[in-house]
Amino acid sequence: MKPNLRKLMPGLLFAFFLSLSGITGTNLSSAAPLQGEPAKVTAQGIHSELKVIPGGQTIGVKVKSAGVLVVGHHLIEVSEKTKLSPGEVSGLVPGDLMISMNGEKLDELSKVAKLVDRAGKANNPLTIVFKRGGKEHTAKLKPAYDIHDKVWRLGLYIRDSAAGVGTLTFYAPEQGVYGALGHVITDMNTGTPIVVGSGHIVQSSVTSISKSQDGDPGEKRAHFLKESQVLGNVESNTDFGIFGKMSSNPEHSLYKEPIPVAMSDQVKEGPAEILTVVDGQQVERFKVEIIHVAHQQTPATKGMVLRITDPRLIDKTGGIVQGMSGSPIVQDGRLIGAVTHVFVNDPKSGYGCFIEWMLQDSGVTKQENRYSLNLKAV
């Protein structure tokens, strides 16, 4: 998916972009519990009544970060012979999330330009509170005057929003929550997970597909539909996807009623199917083979390796493409996980995560002594 950058004001870069191809890092994050009573997981397995509705629908995702993200440094021409970046001098680096300036919360990108202009004209430094690695820090930054554009600047590229296309994994009607994507949303420039301040998902329609080839993963091309009709909100962004509230099962679902889910230790090698959209809004079933299952006692992203075996899907997409992340994986009538990554040099194969971990991050289930503790210091 190509970035779509929009220059809104001098010195400030504002972009909508969402990386949906999957990542291989190990960034850890946790979701705040969602409302509704979570199902309990015991040593005997998944709660007998726990069922969810598999998704497969292509969705448009819009998120706004809980602050303003630094994505790069920008040199300002302060004289005919001198260029500098006050932001770089202050110690701010790409990936830092600025949450306030001079005590004012940065909940709107437009606030930045006003605060910078005010401080520049008063010849005063800005006190910036920012987060790095989950911890708060403070920086002093004195704006510089751009002699060409006649404005005060920070010397930083920044943005606060992202948007893109992904796939809905499940809807839990009893709890009124959903899960999608199967992996964390990261900033395209810095690779850091986006700390969600707000967001929503809407219907989306696939218009065309760029096929995957060895060394070049393809992508779904889609456009948002009925943007005023929000399907659900976005409350958290974790290693296992995005999660939020949803009031009803979206259109074009292949399932009208919930189906059982499988724990990670119930997943096995062998035939399965994925649910995804390759044209318009129609969710279809495609055959895959689970060729490896990892034994995970704690949440980890790469739970299984799958290979696309359905000739129709291979002919249409070449394998796994960007935008397919979150496609539900069903085996023996149970929802077992979601597609998350593609192998760049073998696009017919990729990783999937277990649905068990997505359900925990969504708040649908909570862990209750499923595994005995066997700890060893190393």
Side-chain angles (χ1 to χ4, degrees):
M1 186 174 299
K2 302 292 190 297
N4 177 18
L5 305 181
R6 300 180 181 179
K7 192 172 183 182
L8 293 187
M9 61 189 74
L12 302 180
L13 189 67
F14 180 40
F16 288 103
F17 184 82
L18 181 62
S19 173
L20 300 183
S21 60
I23 62 169
T24 57
T26 55
N27 298 304
L28 299 180
S29 54
S30 59
L34 302 177
Q35 292 181 356
E37 182 65 26
K40 296 181 180 180
V41 180
T42 67
Q44 285 71 41
I46 199 80
H47 192 284
S48 60
E49 295 180 354
L50 177 58
K51 297 180 179 181
V52 299
I53 300 177
Q57 297 95 326
T58 298
I59 55 172
V61 183
K62 289 188 175 183
V63 293
K64 188 171 183 179
S65 61
V68 174
L69 186 68
V70 176
V71 299
H73 295 129
H74 169 64
L75 290 175
I76 302 165
E77 193 165 357
V78 296
S79 72
E80 293 297 334
K81 296 183 179 180
T82 306
K83 293 182 179 181
L84 61 85
S85 168
E88 186 173 13
V89 172
S90 74
L92 289 168
V93 298
D96 288 345
L97 183 69
M98 300 189 297
I99 56 178
S100 73
M101 281 185 178
N102 286 353
E104 288 200 38
K105 184 178 178 182
L106 296 181
D107 51 7
E108 292 290 341
L109 195 69
S110 58
K111 281 187 178 181
V112 176
K114 295 176 182 178
L115 290 168
V116 171
D117 184 66
R118 186 186 307 163
K121 289 177 178 177
N123 196 30
N124 291 327
L126 288 161
T127 299
I128 299 176
V129 178
F130 66 95
K131 285 187 176 180
R132 181 188 296 170
K135 296 181 179 180
E136 285 193 8
H137 305 270
T138 302
K140 293 287 187 178
L141 191 160
K142 191 171 183 180
Y145 190 70
D146 188 318
I147 62 172
H148 287 294
D149 291 331
K150 312 297 183 186
V151 293
W152 293 94
R153 296 184 186 273
L154 293 174
L156 296 172
Y157 289 115
I158 61 176
R159 64 166 159 261
D160 72 345
S161 302
V165 173
T167 302
L168 181 70
T169 305
F170 70 87
Y171 169 59
E174 185 175 336
Q175 294 79 10
V177 301
Y178 75 89
L181 305 190
H183 64 73
V184 69
I185 302 173
T186 59
D187 175 71
M188 58 174 289
N189 293 101
T190 67
T192 57
I194 294 176
V195 180
V196 174
S198 62
H200 61 267
I201 60 173
V202 298
Q203 293 180 356
S204 184
S205 178
V206 176
T207 56
S208 64
I209 291 179
S210 172
K211 294 179 66 172
S212 282
Q213 302 177 25
D214 290 354
D216 182 20
E219 65 176 352
K220 289 184 181 182
R221 299 190 182 99
H223 65 272
F224 293 5
L225 297 173
K226 302 178 181 178
E227 292 191 45
S228 61
Q229 296 182 16
V230 175
L231 296 177
N233 66 353
V234 180
E235 296 192 348
S236 58
N237 174 37
T238 82
D239 281 351
F240 298 96
I242 59 170
F243 305 93
K245 294 184 178 64
M246 182 183 285
S247 60
S248 62
N249 190 28
E251 297 176 357
H252 307 289
S253 175
L254 292 182
Y255 292 84
K256 303 306 179 187
E257 299 294 331
I259 68 170
V261 301
M263 298 295 281
S264 58
D265 57 7
Q266 295 174 308
V267 180
K268 60 187 179 182
E269 296 178 0
E273 63 183 16
I274 64 171
L275 312 179
T276 200
V277 175
V278 294
D279 185 30
Q281 296 179 271
Q282 182 60 51
V283 180
E284 298 183 67
R285 305 175 190 267
F286 297 100
K287 296 178 181 178
V288 301
E289 185 82 9
I290 308 298
I291 59 179
H292 175 73
V293 178
H295 299 289
Q296 296 179 343
Q297 294 189 352
T298 56
T301 54
K302 299 173 183 177
M304 65 190 93
V305 177
L306 64 140
R307 184 169 181 83
I308 306 297
T309 58
D310 198 301
R312 294 185 303 126
L313 187 57
I314 294 172
D315 180 64
K316 183 74 174 180
T317 67
I320 300 171
V321 297
Q322 296 179 79
M324 200 178 284
S325 298
S327 297
I329 308 171
V330 177
Q331 185 180 63
D332 297 332
R334 291 176 175 266
L335 179 61
I336 65 171
V339 178
T340 60
H341 302 69
V342 60
F343 294 169
V344 176
N345 294 322
D346 179 15
K348 293 183 182 67
S349 301
Y351 284 114
C353 70
F354 293 125
I355 195 65
E356 177 177 358
W357 311 136
M358 292 188 72
L359 291 172
Q360 284 189 27
D361 273 8
S362 72
V364 170
T365 65
K366 63 180 180 180
Q367 195 72 29
E368 285 197 350
N369 301 322
R370 180 166 171 239
Y371 301 104
S372 61
L373 294 178
N374 183 18
L375 305 179
K376 180 180 179 181
V378 294

